[in-house]
Amino acid sequence: DAEITQSPRHKITETGRQVTLACHQTWNHNNMFWYRQDLGHGLRLIHYSYGVHDTNKGEVSDGYSVSRSNTEDLPLTLESAASSQTSVYFCASSTNRLAWEQFFGPGTRLTVL
Amino acid sequence: RKEVEQDPGPFNVPEGATVAFNCTYSNSASQSFFWYRQDCRKEPKLLMSVYSSGNEDGRFTAQLNRASQYISLLIRDSKLSDSATYLCVSRSNDYKLSFGAGTTVTVRA
């Protein structure tokens, strides 16, 4: 069955370290998104991609980067982790034709100490 | 100002009750709207789309009021399994979605 996976599911790191969160989807979807979810803020868009080699900044992109070298993967990198980046991170994907239905991965809980 | 605002609740209702809640949106150019459901510590999933004429999906009824810029969700005959956070979502003219912070509903036995 097609799916979207995230790894790791839980991560504890220290301030200043570089961290990469993986997202992999097997639906062959063009569109991929990274969100963070914090209490009281809901889902906030970090970065998104509409296809290979396409990346765009979302509303909270500072301190994060992404690259899209193939259809299946959109890794999210925290260049120098900060305590303010402690959050739950969700990856999602969608097709152009049914863009309103985003399929989400199970999430990664990141703690920055 | 957030693009989509929701009353966080929680709405605590007994089984069998009807519960309704709204969300408001600020971007009049938003083209379409949806409700997503998120169970505790799980990923969000699409619940239903929202049409101007109103639409039903079983016990769930969604309504859009463009003049007042709000969307509503009504759940009839609440079940314990309806306990979740309901996310109001808007979409403009590209593939991005804007999510509200969610309304929490707890159905008690």
Side-chain angles (χ1 to χ4, degrees):
Chain A
D1 284 346
E3 60 178 356
I4 180 166
T5 57
Q6 293 184 235
S7 62
R9 296 293 311 279
H10 301 271
K11 174 80 175 176
I12 299 174
T13 191
E14 295 177 342
T15 300
R17 289 191 181 269
Q18 184 181 80
V19 176
T20 297
L21 308 183
C23 175
H24 180 79
Q25 53 98 2
T26 59
W27 281 302
N28 201 36
H29 285 171
N30 290 334
N31 310 323
M32 295 185 73
F33 307 85
W34 272 105
Y35 298 90
R36 60 178 289 174
Q37 188 172 38
D38 306 287
L39 200 61
H41 288 282
L43 287 161
R44 291 184 289 176
L45 185 62
I46 304 172
H47 281 285
Y48 59 101
S49 168
Y50 290 157
V52 177
H53 302 310
D54 175 74
T55 61
N56 306 280
K57 294 181 179 181
E59 63 177 300
V60 290
S61 61
D62 287 350
Y64 304 94
S65 64
V66 294
S67 62
R68 186 97 179 264
S69 58
N70 58 52
T71 300
E72 296 81 15
D73 299 289
L74 187 70
L76 176 71
T77 297
L78 287 67
E79 305 292 346
S80 176
S83 57
S84 60
Q85 294 176 308
T86 293
S87 187
V88 178
Y89 291 85
F90 286 102
C91 178
S93 70
S94 70
T95 64
N96 292 351
R97 189 173 65 83
L98 299 173
W100 58 87
E101 183 164 16
Q102 291 187 4
F103 294 86
F104 284 78
T108 294
R109 187 171 294 273
L110 177 68
T111 302
V112 182
L113 301 176
Chain B
R1 184 183 173 186
K2 290 182 181 177
E3 194 157 328
V4 179
E5 301 263 14
Q6 294 185 249
D7 178 350
F11 288 77
N12 294 307
V13 299
E15 261 187 305
T18 295
V19 59
F21 42 90
N22 297 336
C23 81
T24 58
Y25 63 94
S26 59
N27 185 357
S28 58
S30 295
Q31 295 190 345
S32 46
F33 304 90
F34 314 92
W35 285 101
Y36 273 64
R37 171 193 169 126
Q38 185 174 25
D39 294 317
C40 187
R41 293 177 177 264
K42 295 289 187 71
E43 70 273 19
K45 293 182 180 179
L46 178 65
L47 177 67
M48 60 193 299
S49 301
V50 186
Y51 304 121
S52 296
S53 55
N55 51 298
E56 284 189 15
D57 184 358
R59 297 179 293 105
F60 295 81
T61 300
Q63 192 82 43
L64 166 63
N65 185 316
R66 285 197 181 272
S68 302
Q69 296 189 202
Y70 76 84
I71 302 111
S72 64
L73 182 66
L74 182 146
I75 307 173
R76 285 185 303 278
D77 188 23
S78 298
K79 312 291 185 192
L80 294 175
S81 58
D82 294 333
S83 297
T85 297
Y86 293 85
L87 308 177
C88 181
V89 182
S90 71
R91 180 185 165 213
S92 298
N93 59 356
D94 57 15
Y95 306 128
K96 300 198 306 283
L97 302 178
S98 294
F99 288 81
T103 297
T104 298
V105 172
T106 302
V107 182
R108 62 183 187 275

